[in-house]
């Protein structure tokens, strides 16, 4: 049976450039859509977080003005049905990513608070990449890739084609001005071959075993791409 690991941020705030705290966490759509799709396809799906902390859903991702009331209702119902999985995730430090067929990382601004510098996240992704296991972050989940450092300090994903939440989308969201750093800009400067599609439109990039989605709208296409690659 196909086994998928979903790694979620344990952060509930994003520290802004001026030191203030912005409510954050896991973007509901990115987690729900992919988790739901994988389970519907008969996959076994584990959830892990740093420290095994129960993840917080980003309140902005449950705002009807942002995502629509119908989506909020669906996300709420789904999250209620899997509450036991969310309250007791695996401890990221205990995870061997090589036991899985794919490692999936949803966004929200949580990953730019914790996963981008998490040593266990880096270890898991480097081991998985070397083993050819699928790695599939979406939106701000690509921040987790920044945690991968080789012994000489170089970035393990330098030179790879990828997308992520774009700087332009961050500007339109209204969160760019006080951001301590911008994800797409940082990926480019780190050596990624960064690509983007239309703002807020679905866009997925594949480079070998690395599959990346640009934004929330890319969640389902990314999940489908992961499943197709696993087949």
């Amino acid at each position: 049976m196909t086994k998928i690991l979903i790694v979620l941020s344990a952060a509930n705030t994003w520290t802004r450039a001026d030191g203030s705290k912005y409510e954050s966490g896991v973007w509901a759509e990115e987690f729900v859509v992919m988790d739901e799709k994988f389970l519907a396809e008969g996959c076994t799906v584990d959830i892990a977080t740093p420290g095994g902390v129960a993840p917080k859903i980003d309140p902005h991702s449950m705002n009807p003005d942002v995502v629509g009331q119908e989506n909020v209702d669906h996300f709420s119902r789904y999250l209620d049905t899997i509450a036991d999985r969310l309250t007791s995730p695996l401890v990221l430090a205990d995870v061997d990513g090589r036991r899985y067929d794919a490692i999936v990382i949803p966004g929200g601004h949580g990953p730019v608070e914790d996963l981008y510098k998490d040593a266990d996240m880096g270890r898991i992704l480097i081991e998985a990449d070397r083993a050819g296991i699928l790695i599939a972050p979406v939106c701000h989940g690509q921040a987790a890739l920044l945690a991968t450092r080789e012994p000489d300090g170089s970035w393990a994903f330098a030179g790879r084609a990828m997308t992520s939440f774009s700087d332009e989308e961050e500007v339109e969201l209204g969160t760019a001005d006080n951001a301590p750093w911008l994800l797409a800009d940082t990926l480019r400067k780190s050596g990624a071959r960064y690509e983007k599609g239309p703002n807020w439109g679905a866009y997925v990039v594949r480079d070998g075993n690395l599959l990346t989605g640009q934004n929330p709208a890319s969640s389902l296409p990314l999940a489908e791409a992961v499943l197709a690659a696993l087949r």
Side-chain angles (χ1 to χ4, degrees):
M1 180 176 288
T2 300
K3 292 192 66 177
I4 294 176
L5 175 69
I6 293 182
V7 179
L8 299 178
S9 168
N12 56 25
T13 59
W14 176 28
T15 305
R16 308 290 277 145
D18 63 4
S20 62
K21 301 292 185 179
Y22 177 87
E23 276 195 291
S24 187
V26 176
W27 199 260
E29 179 178 0
E30 294 165 21
F31 168 63
V32 169
V33 166
M34 293 198 288
D35 188 62
E36 190 173 35
K37 180 66 174 177
F38 295 142
L39 291 176
E41 293 292 323
C43 303
T44 296
V45 184
D46 289 341
I47 297 170
T49 67
V53 174
K56 178 187 175 183
I57 297 298
D58 188 324
H60 302 94
S61 70
M62 297 294 282
N63 182 344
D65 294 334
V66 176
V67 300
Q69 187 61 55
E70 184 176 351
N71 284 326
V72 170
D73 292 342
H74 173 67
F75 301 156
S76 295
R77 286 193 299 269
Y78 186 79
L79 292 167
D80 285 344
T81 66
I82 63 162
D84 56 335
R85 294 172 62 218
L86 289 174
T87 55
S88 55
L90 300 175
V91 177
L92 194 60
D94 296 338
V95 169
D96 182 349
R98 294 167 294 188
R99 295 178 51 245
Y100 294 90
D101 300 295
I103 297 172
V104 175
I105 312 168
H109 284 102
V112 299
E113 180 74 11
D114 61 357
L115 295 184
Y116 83 96
K117 59 182 180 180
D118 189 283
D120 293 304
M121 182 81 270
R123 168 187 59 81
I124 290 166
L125 289 175
I126 286 176
E127 291 175 348
D129 191 45
R130 287 174 178 164
I133 292 164
L134 296 181
I135 296 171
V138 65
C139 200
H140 289 88
Q142 283 83 316
L145 300 176
L146 296 170
T148 59
R149 294 294 164 179
E150 301 287 6
D152 64 0
S154 63
W155 185 39
F157 287 88
R160 303 286 288 275
M162 64 184 72
T163 188
S164 75
F165 197 65
S166 68
D167 298 337
E168 294 83 355
E169 287 166 315
E170 200 81 67
V171 169
E172 289 187 10
L173 188 62
T175 46
D177 286 347
N178 198 21
W181 48 275
L182 296 176
L183 179 55
D185 178 61
T186 301
L187 292 172
R188 285 191 297 266
K189 289 177 178 176
S190 297
R193 291 190 291 119
Y194 179 81
E195 303 176 16
K196 74 175 289 289
N199 288 1
W200 312 108
Y203 190 70
V204 173
V205 173
R206 181 173 184 181
D207 184 338
N209 64 313
L210 177 65
L211 295 86
T212 53
Q214 181 173 317
N215 46 33
S218 307
S219 302
L220 181 57
L222 180 61
E224 291 172 337
V226 168
L227 292 167
L230 288 171
R231 295 189 191 103

